[in-house]
Amino acid sequence: MLSITNLHAGISGKEILKGISLSIRAGEVHAIMGPNGSGKSTLASVLAGRETFEVSEGTVLYQGTNLLDLSPEERAREGLFLAFQYPVEIPGVSNMYFLKTALNAIRKHRGEEELDAVEFLALVKKKSKLVEMDQSLLNRPVNEGFSGGEKKRNEIFQMAVLDPKLALLDETDSGLDIDALRIVAEGVNKLRGKENAIVLVTHYQRLLNYIVPDFVHVLQEGRIVKSGGKELALLLEERGYDWIKEETESVGSA
Amino acid sequence: MGQPNGRAAGKSRGGAVNRDRENMNAQEQTDWYEARFGRWESGMNGESKTPLHSLRKAAIGSFARTGFPSTREEEWRFTNVAPIARVPFVPAVSAEIPRLERRDVERFLFAGLTSHHLVFVNGRFLPEYSSLGELPDGVRIESLESALRRDQGEVLRHLARYAPPDQGAFPALNAAFIQDGAYLYLPDGAQIEEAVHLLFIAAGDADPLLLTPRNLIITGAGCRLSIVETYHAVRSSSYLTNVVSELLVGEGTVIEHDKVQAEHPHAYHVGTTQIVQHKASTVVSNSIAVGGSIVRNTVATLLAEEGSHCTLNGLSVATGNQLIDNHTTIDHATSNCTSFEMYKSILDGASRGVFNGKIFVRKDAQKTDAKQTNKTLLLSDDATIDTKPQLEIFADDVKCTHGATVGQLDDEQVFYLRSRGIDEVDARDLLTFAFAGDVVSKVHVEPLRDRLDVLLHERLRQGRVTGIE
Ligand SMILES: Nc1ncnc2c1ncn2[C@@H]1O[C@H](COP(=O)(O)OP(=O)(O)OP(=O)(O)O)[C@@H](O)[C@H]1O
Ligand SMILES: [Mg+2]
């Protein structure tokens, strides 16, 4: 579904991603872990089409097409979804209006009928129940004055409504209370299927108890320095990241 | 006052001045209006002996002394009215009222506001297209002209008291040619359910015209009233709307005053809204400007007695070479009053915005709480804004804040919307609309709010401000 090869990207001449290669097939869940500032969000932003980052090298194939050629909105319409680490507040734009516009843009692209107000409302009702999203948040401006946890929940709610093929969740678990974490995880698990793939960026093994990944990758200083199965996450929880650094350095110098 | 104001000169030179001449100098400019005044006066039948006419005479005298302001004056630093001053506008007071088709009027009316609407064409009341509605006892909603005819004394107790002619050249020029406008009088306790719509249409194609509508709104204690002033044109040749509205707000009275200025893009509009608030009164003023070539809009409120509140909101949407200047004054003359002000501009093309927000907190105005915000969205590199908050605080126990921002749309917000599948231009329009919506949502008169939504959707498209035709 997604195939990243030797991806280099940065901002104003500073390289942040230094050669990332990663393959994700439909039906898989990948977890990306790594220290602060290692480039996890940058990777997610580049995949979503954030123009502030320049890609200097490498390719990204998504469902057989060159992802880097597509605008952010085209990527979204092709089924890519990024749950932001820091969702932005948009005063004056109601959550509902925003989401309806987005959904209908995507449906139009897929050749589906646009939903009218009644159909949309029914869908929203169903999906907001799924992520136990407070109805009052729906009519408020996008993320404005939302608590940290409410913002994260809103991201998952949007994901549930837009029904993406490839979801990138950037630290969606941070700032969630225990109940919210379980709810978000359930939401993600419902999305999980043969046709979909999920990339979870997280610092905590805890989330991975709820959403069990097929692969865990460690991103350090712009490179994937280690990949493994779900047990790798437990190891990281126990031992931190330094040992990997030592391991790669000793491998490098050997 | 009382200066013998060049009547003779006016009469003899009235026809001689070449109207098409550009670049009248300062003397010729004042001479021109004095001459027109003299002409009008000479055609009056007895009216020239009335107290009202004394007021006009004092006003033309005041105008003749000052002339049009220049950019050397601090108040006019950013707004050059020379293009207005050099045109010999003909005051519409004695001109014929052009006939309008019903549809030319109806398209500017609101289906949801049918009870009280007063239609003015070139500043003159048009009864056949107006509806004064059923009114509670003692309430008057009528044209100023008819009120003056009925009881000049009653009107003159208030007229030009709150916005006196010596406030400046434009209020003076307006007062010199006071003839018609809207007159609203609400005795204690009067509540008008439906908003009163005052529709001003510029029409006809003769001469550059000077329109001088004058509105007077007087309320007693415990009243409720919403007024909607809208300005439109079915005329494309040059004109200047120079309007003055005075509002006296009684104790505990709640007023919403909405003004929508959608003049012809070649028109000039200078407007003054002067509000005086008595004890524990509340005023919400929403001023939306989309039309005009050079626009100067002044909203001033005097919080004269304790416990009052005012909200002044403004929105300017401009493109091309439009200049929209908003001047506001909130005068906290007494204690325990609150004011909230938010003026926004969306500027595209080579348009220019000016915001000057004065807040005076007088010595006795303790416990004042005033908040002023000015935000500008620049959609092009050539658009500019001059913004100047002006807080003068003479009391010590007060809370006063002000802030101004100027910028483009937020890239992160644009990206967020696009990342959900929304087109870039749609995302930009959505955000621009939201920026404006902040002001529009403060309009409580629903039919107007709906109309503004439509208007702004038309004006804010494809990431730009589209001109009005
Ligand atoms: N707009 C930017 N301008 C300059 N530097 C940036 C910008 N965005 C990211 N960086 C830098 O790139 C590096 C990677 O940042 P990124 O946000 O991708 O890290 P992260 O792995 O997501 O960290 P965290 O776990 O704290 O979320 C950091 O050093 C960061 O300071
Ligand atoms: Mg991050």
Side-chain angles (χ1 to χ4, degrees), chain A residues 49-51 72-73 76-77 81-82 84 88-91 93 97-98 102 105-106 143 155 158, chain B residues 410-426 430-431 433-435 457:
Chain A
R50 187 83 198 242
E51 281 142 358
E73 54 268 38
R77 291 172 199 166
F81 181 91
L82 168 61
F84 288 82
V88 63
E89 301 195 2
I90 310 185
V93 177
Y97 183 77
F98 150 63
I106 292 173
N143 295 326
E155 295 292 290
Q158 291 172 32
Chain B
D410 183 312
D411 284 338
E412 280 197 47
Q413 293 178 345
V414 175
F415 179 66
Y416 189 88
L417 296 177
R418 295 177 72 189
S419 79
R420 298 301 183 246
I422 299 173
D423 261 336
E424 181 172 5
V425 279
D426 292 344
L430 204 63
L431 292 172
F433 194 77
F435 181 87
H457 271 123

Side-chain angles (χ1 to χ4, degrees), chain A residues 36-37 39-42 85-86 170-171 201 203:
Chain A
N36 293 133
K40 304 179 298 295
S41 294
T42 303
Q85 183 176 1
Y86 303 110
D170 191 356
E171 292 198 30
V201 173
H203 285 295

Side-chain angles (χ1 to χ4, degrees), chain A residues 17-144:
Chain A
L17 302 181
K18 302 169 180 166
I20 295 205
S21 296
L22 183 63
S23 230
I24 296 167
R25 281 167 302 194
E28 293 176 350
V29 173
H30 291 240
I32 297 179
M33 303 180 82
N36 293 133
S38 57
K40 304 179 298 295
S41 294
T42 303
L43 175 62
S45 293
V46 168
L47 294 177
R50 187 83 198 242
E51 281 142 358
T52 43
F53 296 101
E54 307 122 31
V55 175
S56 50
E57 214 183 316
T59 56
V60 182
L61 281 180
Y62 171 67
Q63 297 181 324
T65 64
N66 181 355
L67 185 74
L68 301 178
D69 278 350
L70 303 180
S71 66
E73 54 268 38
E74 286 167 333
R75 295 176 198 203
R77 291 172 199 166
E78 289 291 342
L80 188 90
F81 181 91
L82 168 61
F84 288 82
Q85 183 176 1
Y86 303 110
V88 63
E89 301 195 2
I90 310 185
V93 177
S94 98
N95 230 349
M96 290 285 272
Y97 183 77
F98 150 63
L99 200 52
K100 184 162 174 262
T101 309
L103 178 65
N104 280 334
I106 292 173
R107 289 181 66 94
K108 202 170 150 196
H109 178 77
R110 290 186 194 147
E112 296 167 1
E113 289 268 313
E114 292 187 16
L115 294 190
D116 64 26
V118 178
E119 295 165 323
F120 178 70
L121 227 69
L123 179 71
V124 159
K125 215 164 173 189
K126 196 172 108 195
K127 300 295 185 181
S128 60
K129 226 176 243 152
L130 190 74
V131 297
E132 293 181 30
M133 171 102 164
D134 191 341
Q135 293 287 323
S136 71
L137 295 178
L138 298 175
N139 293 314
R140 276 175 42 188
V142 180
N143 295 326
E144 192 186 34

